[in-house]
Amino acid sequence: MAKTLIIAEKPSVAADIVKALPGSFDRQKTHFEGGDCIVSFALGHLVSIGFPEEIDPALQRWDLETLPILPEVFPLTVLPDAKPQFSVLSKLLKRKDVDVIVNACDAGREGELIFKYILKQVFPKPPKDKTVRRLWLQSMTLDAIKEGLRHLRDDKEMVPLEHAALCRSEADWLIGINATRALTCYNSRHGGFSKTPCGRVQTPTLSLLVKREQERLAFVPKDYWELHAQFECGSVKYQGVWIDAAFKKDQEDPDGNKKRIWEEARAKAIAEKCAGQQAKISEESKKSSQAPPMLYDLTALQREANSRFGFPAKSTLSIAQALYEQHKLITYPRTDSSCLPEDYLPQVNEVMARQQQWQLGRFAAEALENGWPDKNRSNKRVFNNKKISDHFALIPTVNLPNSLDEAELKIYQMIVQRFLAVFFPAAVFAQTRRLSVVEGETFITEGKILVEAGWKAVYGAEAAAGEAKTLEPLPKKTAAVCAEIEQKKLVTKPPPRYNEATLLSAMEHSGKLVEDEELAEAMKERGLGTPATRAAIIEKLLTEKYVVRELKDLVPTGKAFELIALLEARDIDVLASPELTGEWEYKLNQILKGSMTREQFMREIREQTAKIVGKVKEGTAPEAARVEAPFSPLDGRRFFATATAYESEDRRLRVRKVLGGRVMSQEEIVRLLKGETVGPYADFRSKAGKPFIASVVLQDGKVTFQFPESTERIDQEAVKRQEPLGLSPIDKTPVFETSMAYMSASALDGDQKQGLRIGKTILERAISVEHVRQLLTQGKTELIKGFISKKKRPFDAYLLMDAKGKVTFEFPPRKTKGKGGEEAE
């Protein structure tokens, strides 16, 4: 009897398909078998393109001479952990009674690739006695599976999708393998093995982080002042902030803001002019509305879960996958769409009806009672076929939870809240803007009151209350007076580092960074990576030590700076640009539409790969990429700059621009070359990504780290010939400056109990010679600005030292407001 073999992507999906099929099934460990149907599963990717050495054993050795590697036929290999299940599928596929094979892997490019690679590995040539069909599922409800089984697609319909999937996979292999090997060989040419992973998605993502960090390093803070006035009108008091009424935003001045005053003298003059004077008041009020947010796609869910709960993107994906596969509580999570199909209203009403029985049931009941889902049937922000590619938005199913752990419950509640909120009316606000003009100077006061909660009600009283900023009405015919003004001295801040939430958003919208309109349009649907892969890309950057986590922030390491600098120097920075992905997506879409062939696409990728390798090889030539350093000549010697280092004309002396994972400034490099000890710095990083404190010095032509606890390299006689900075309060021995710390003579002699030792860096703030003199003579320093707490928050403090040599902090008293903006302590 002929049988149909259905291959799902995961065991849980296979089990769901069995439930939707008629008849009984014999359940085995690796598959289900019924009278005329067998259902089995992959475990995600079972087969992938093999490594170069599987093409030719000689390619096991990484050598520039063997590049580029451009196979016409890509060898497939079974992944090591997948061999048992692949063996099962191979036997099932080859069974003589199986005449129909159904691809039931996830609907989309990646699901197509998983199935077709399995099929190609089992049947190098397409079998003539078997027919291939496609089960296309966008929801895992029983009805959706039954509907999909009734309307299986012909495999010929899937050929464009298969070609696009194969092209994407093979192109990633060609670029990734060749670029990684070429750059690794380049970076290892002076000895050792400096692995330099590089890829189409991970490298542009890394470039976003590096460019943001470069902006922060180049940022010069500027002082500015704000004027905060207190007004009195009869019994009513209110605050106002000074604004420049004539201010216009200038793209050339990103720090410009209508509330900022850049000269202290001007701020003081305005404060003195306005204090105690009457104000002319004008007010305008208007209503505004805020539409509900869109339904979740995976990236939006990961972004918000990171912001609200600190969940890494990888964890959110894992939780959502469990809610989908194990608990059957949500639709397919790996989606890039925030809309539903235009015929999905009946399912929405069914889910809404079921939600009446859960925690947020009163909101579901209210939505149904008012017919809000039906009223939204033509709302393109909710139901829009044009905004759906492989999968639709992430929403709850008709099932309700029984037992979820805390993390699962948080993610599920987020999805239910968003689903309900989308069908609620807009939130309505009353906004009031009050202008108080004093002596020609304008102060603004703004109020915002939530009039109708609308969709915000679903998020509870706290969300609604957070919007409220009421303005008390002013009594009529009563003069308003500017009672006092506080001058606030502030400082501009550098752009913030990326965290997972903001990086996910930047990856999703990276098409905005692409100038070519067609390429940007092609990236609208995908951005850098896919919703399913973005979390893995971030984790890979962390694993490869290109990035480290500092609390919630993602910080690029020196290794990352070196890679981006090298790509720019070799003129292959296309690898760090989202334009490469934009170009690919544009062309893969052309393949889907039939306006470009698979052969054309791969020919272009091979040419691009060869060009990238050629650029790297050019960099190994003796004369390549050497320009005279800006500080050359130095002490009579000429120095040259390469992408990653400074080196002498004869190449015998070479100092990397990144030392110990730290980007060294040009001034620090010059000091090193002059023979000075530089540091200590607290932001060096080990190969494992852990920070450490050290100084660096050139010894015998090589850079050497000196650690704070290391005193054996200190020339004690030379140190003690210096003029002392003062006397130690512990034993009255003189205190000297060393390369690593400020140390008393007794500490230099090795006395651990009586010796005084003060680090040159305390909480990331350099401690100067003058600070130490103040401690030794007065027991207290001047106010030192710019300490960084363990929670990475900046603060200012005095340093104190007691008779036992213990150094502590004293914080300045809080400033109080005085008349006319004067500060009193």
Side-chain angles (χ1 to χ4, degrees):
M1 179 181 176
K3 290 197 172 188
T4 296
L5 172 62
I6 300 175
I7 299 177
E9 192 167 316
K10 304 173 191 69
S12 59
V13 178
D16 288 339
I17 291 172
V18 168
K19 293 174 186 175
L21 289 166
S24 59
F25 282 77
D26 175 28
R27 178 170 188 168
Q28 300 184 35
K29 188 175 181 180
T30 56
H31 63 281
F32 304 82
E33 185 157 1
D36 58 359
C37 196
I38 306 166
V39 182
S40 191
F41 47 85
L43 296 166
H45 285 272
L46 299 186
V47 179
S48 69
I49 300 176
F51 290 106
E53 50 266 33
E54 295 175 71
I55 301 170
D56 181 351
L59 295 176
Q60 187 162 356
R61 185 170 179 269
W62 291 33
D63 191 330
L64 269 176
E65 296 306 313
T66 63
L67 301 177
I69 302 168
L70 302 170
E72 286 298 325
V73 178
F74 290 81
L76 297 180
T77 185
V78 180
L79 297 171
D81 293 343
K83 286 181 179 178
Q85 187 61 20
F86 175 80
S87 178
V88 169
L89 289 179
S90 180
K91 290 175 183 176
L92 292 174
L93 284 162
K94 291 177 179 178
R95 274 176 51 166
K96 291 183 179 180
D97 59 342
V98 170
D99 64 347
V100 177
I101 305 166
V102 177
N103 173 9
C105 292
D106 291 348
R109 203 161 67 189
E110 209 62 21
E112 198 67 24
L113 186 72
I114 288 169
F115 175 81
K116 291 298 169 62
Y117 271 173
I118 293 170
L119 208 60
K120 286 177 185 290
Q121 184 70 355
V122 176
F123 301 114
K125 293 182 179 180
K128 295 180 180 179
D129 57 341
K130 299 180 190 291
T131 303
V132 178
R133 308 292 298 278
R134 184 60 153 113
L135 173 61
W136 194 264
L137 297 177
Q138 291 187 312
S139 175
M140 288 309 298
T141 62
L142 198 60
D143 287 343
I145 297 171
K146 288 179 178 179
E147 182 70 13
L149 289 167
R150 283 195 293 269
H151 298 92
L152 293 174
R153 298 185 182 183
D154 192 294
D155 188 55
K156 290 180 181 177
E157 295 178 44
M158 312 312 297
V159 169
L161 183 65
E162 176 187 351
H163 282 180
L166 292 171
C167 284
R168 198 278 309 154
S169 176
E170 292 169 6
D172 269 340
W173 190 95
L174 286 172
I175 295 290
I177 290 288
N178 283 282
T180 295
R181 287 196 171 204
L183 293 169
T184 298
C185 292
Y186 181 91
N187 280 334
S188 306
R189 69 194 186 284
H190 297 296
F193 183 75
S194 181
K195 189 178 179 184
T196 311
C198 190
R200 172 183 61 91
V201 177
Q202 77 171 46
T203 308
T205 302
L206 183 63
S207 178
L208 292 172
L209 293 162
V210 169
K211 286 179 179 177
R212 176 61 57 86
E213 196 68 14
Q214 287 172 334
E215 290 176 23
R216 289 174 58 82
L217 290 170
F219 181 80
V220 178
K222 294 190 292 185
D223 291 338
Y224 68 93
W225 286 260
E226 284 185 1
L227 298 178
H228 291 244
Q230 170 125 339
F231 291 91
E232 295 179 359
C233 184
S235 60
V236 176
K237 296 181 180 180
Y238 65 93
Q239 297 282 329
V241 180
W242 179 91
I243 60 169
D244 179 355
F247 175 82
K248 290 184 179 180
K249 189 66 179 175
D250 183 357
Q251 296 297 328
E252 301 297 318
D253 182 16
D255 292 325
N257 186 295
K258 64 183 179 182
K259 295 180 181 179
R260 293 178 176 178
I261 301 172
W262 298 105
E263 303 85 22
E264 183 178 14
R266 185 186 176 202
K268 187 175 182 180
I270 293 173
E272 289 176 348
K273 177 172 69 171
C274 296
Q277 301 302 311
Q278 283 194 7
K280 294 180 181 178
I281 309 297
S282 62
E283 282 189 0
E284 61 177 27
S285 296
K286 62 179 181 179
K287 281 192 175 184
S288 65
S289 62
Q290 184 181 354
M294 302 283 281
L295 289 166
Y296 283 124
D297 60 21
L298 176 59
T299 301
L301 181 72
Q302 289 171 316
R303 193 166 58 233
E304 189 166 323
N306 181 260
S307 297
R308 287 177 61 180
F309 309 122
F311 289 173
K314 181 182 178 182
S315 298
T316 300
L317 174 56
S318 177
I319 294 165
Q321 202 67 30
L323 291 171
Y324 166 70
E325 288 183 19
Q326 298 169 25
H327 302 292
K328 309 293 186 294
L329 292 174
I330 63 172
T331 55
Y332 186 75
R334 296 170 184 250
T335 176
D336 58 0
S337 176
S338 55
C339 293
L340 297 172
E342 291 172 10
D343 61 356
Y344 213 70
L345 181 60
Q347 288 88 336
V348 164
N349 279 317
E350 188 179 358
V351 172
M352 195 77 75
R354 286 287 285 160
Q355 281 297 325
Q356 290 182 96
Q357 302 170 37
W358 197 61
Q359 296 175 4
L360 301 172
R362 65 188 182 92
F363 299 110
E366 185 179 355
L368 289 172
E369 184 179 338
N370 288 282
W372 288 333
D374 289 32
K375 290 176 182 176
N376 276 279
R377 77 166 61 238
S378 59
N379 184 347
K380 292 299 182 183
R381 294 181 78 248
V382 182
F383 300 102
N384 192 339
N385 288 346
K386 292 180 181 179
K387 296 291 185 180
I388 298 170
S389 52
D390 301 340
H391 307 284
F392 54 71
L394 215 170
I395 64 171
T397 65
V398 293
N399 299 320
L400 295 177
N402 290 321
S403 58
L404 298 177
D405 63 31
E406 183 181 354
E408 289 172 336
L409 184 60
K410 284 179 176 178
I411 297 298
Y412 180 69
Q413 186 174 40
M414 282 176 62
I415 294 166
V416 173
Q417 281 180 313
R418 181 63 64 92
F419 171 73
L420 296 173
V422 159
F423 297 101
F424 267 61
V428 179
F429 300 91
Q431 291 183 301
T432 304
R433 185 169 180 262
R434 179 181 296 164
L435 297 180
S436 307
V437 180
V438 186
E439 298 294 312
E441 304 292 344
T442 304
F443 295 80
I444 190 169
T445 309
E446 294 176 299
K448 185 178 182 182
I449 302 171
L450 186 64
V451 178
E452 297 173 19
W455 63 269
K456 284 185 173 288
V458 179
Y459 287 87
E462 285 186 18
E467 300 290 350
K469 186 182 177 185
T470 60
L471 278 186
E472 191 175 350
L474 300 179
K476 294 180 179 179
K477 298 181 180 180
T478 304
V481 176
C482 179
E484 59 182 76
I485 298 181
E486 178 187 7
Q487 299 175 50
K488 287 191 175 182
K489 183 180 179 182
L490 302 167
V491 65
T492 56
K493 295 179 180 179
R497 284 174 170 147
Y498 285 106
N499 54 40
E500 286 206 24
T502 54
L503 183 59
L504 285 168
S505 183
M507 292 171 75
E508 182 181 24
H509 301 294
S510 56
K512 293 179 180 178
L513 306 174
V514 176
E515 293 183 5
D516 187 290
E517 290 184 9
E518 285 187 324
L519 304 189
E521 182 66 27
M523 288 186 71
K524 268 188 178 181
E525 298 300 323
R526 291 187 182 272
L528 279 174
T530 66
T533 61
R534 286 177 190 135
I537 290 162
I538 294 172
E539 291 299 321
K540 188 172 183 181
L541 291 175
L542 290 161
T543 301
E544 297 288 356
K545 308 304 177 192
Y546 280 128
V547 176
V548 293
R549 277 194 180 98
E550 286 188 3
L551 299 178
K552 285 188 175 183
D553 290 343
L554 297 171
V555 184
T557 63
K559 182 180 177 182
F561 279 85
E562 283 188 316
L563 173 60
I564 302 304
L566 175 57
L567 296 179
E568 291 173 352
R570 298 296 341 117
D571 194 25
I572 51 175
D573 46 337
V574 63
L575 288 174
S577 167
E579 284 199 15
L580 182 61
T581 288
E583 186 179 330
W584 285 19
E585 289 300 335
Y586 174 72
K587 291 176 179 176
L588 292 175
N589 284 337
Q590 286 185 312
I591 292 172
L592 288 173
K593 295 172 183 176
S595 55
M596 187 176 198
T597 67
R598 167 164 156 68
E599 290 72 26
Q600 287 174 314
F601 180 87
M602 292 309 302
R603 183 168 57 250
E604 291 183 9
I605 294 298
R606 286 186 172 86
E607 290 171 359
Q608 189 173 36
T609 302
K611 184 178 178 182
I612 288 169
V613 171
K615 292 280 189 181
V616 178
K617 284 183 175 180
E618 289 172 12
T620 61
E623 70 283 356
R626 284 227 311 177
V627 295
E628 189 153 3
F631 53 79
S632 179
L634 183 66
D635 295 337
R637 300 177 71 182
R638 291 181 73 195
F639 285 87
F640 291 82
T642 69
T644 57
Y646 293 103
E647 55 187 33
S648 59
E649 188 172 13
D650 59 8
R651 287 188 166 86
R652 291 183 179 178
L653 178 59
R654 186 170 181 276
V655 178
R656 295 182 72 88
K657 294 177 180 178
V658 176
L659 298 176
R662 181 183 188 274
V663 180
M664 304 295 287
S665 70
Q666 189 173 287
E667 182 266 335
E668 291 164 348
I669 295 289
V670 170
R671 288 174 56 200
L672 264 181
L673 293 172
K674 284 183 174 181
E676 295 181 33
T677 299
V678 180
Y681 300 115
D683 54 347
F684 288 114
R685 290 189 181 275
S686 69
K687 289 184 178 179
K690 294 182 179 179
F692 64 88
I693 300 173
S695 294
V696 285
V697 65
L698 274 176
Q699 291 185 338
D700 301 324
K702 292 184 178 180
V703 174
T704 302
F705 287 100
Q706 292 185 344
F707 299 95
E709 59 274 13
S710 172
T711 59
E712 61 267 19
R713 291 193 180 93
I714 296 175
D715 185 341
Q716 294 192 28
E717 290 186 9
V719 168
K720 290 179 180 179
R721 285 197 293 270
Q722 297 178 31
E723 181 180 345
L725 303 178
L727 299 179
S728 166
I730 307 172
D731 57 8
K732 306 304 179 185
T733 58
V735 176
F736 302 97
E737 179 186 8
T738 74
S739 62
M740 305 306 301
Y742 303 101
M743 302 174 71
S744 66
S746 52
L748 287 166
D749 293 337
D751 189 332
Q752 300 294 323
K753 292 184 178 180
Q754 294 297 312
L756 174 69
R757 187 182 181 289
I758 303 171
K760 279 195 162 182
T761 303
I762 297 176
L763 290 184
E764 300 187 31
R765 176 63 163 88
I767 305 303
S768 69
V769 168
E770 186 55 36
H771 292 147
V772 175
R773 285 201 182 101
Q774 292 169 1
L775 279 175
L776 297 174
T777 57
Q778 305 166 29
K780 181 178 180 179
T781 67
E782 64 188 354
L783 182 66
I784 302 175
K785 296 185 177 183
F787 292 107
I788 304 295
S789 71
K790 290 181 180 179
K791 293 185 176 180
K792 299 299 177 184
R793 293 173 181 162
F795 69 93
D796 305 333
Y798 304 93
L799 290 181
L800 305 181
M801 186 164 64
D802 62 18
K804 295 181 179 180
K806 183 178 180 181
V807 177
T808 56
F809 292 106
E810 180 182 287
F811 300 99
R814 291 191 176 184
K815 295 169 184 176
T816 58
K817 302 168 192 172
K819 186 99 172 180
E822 294 296 324
E823 294 174 349
E825 293 191 356

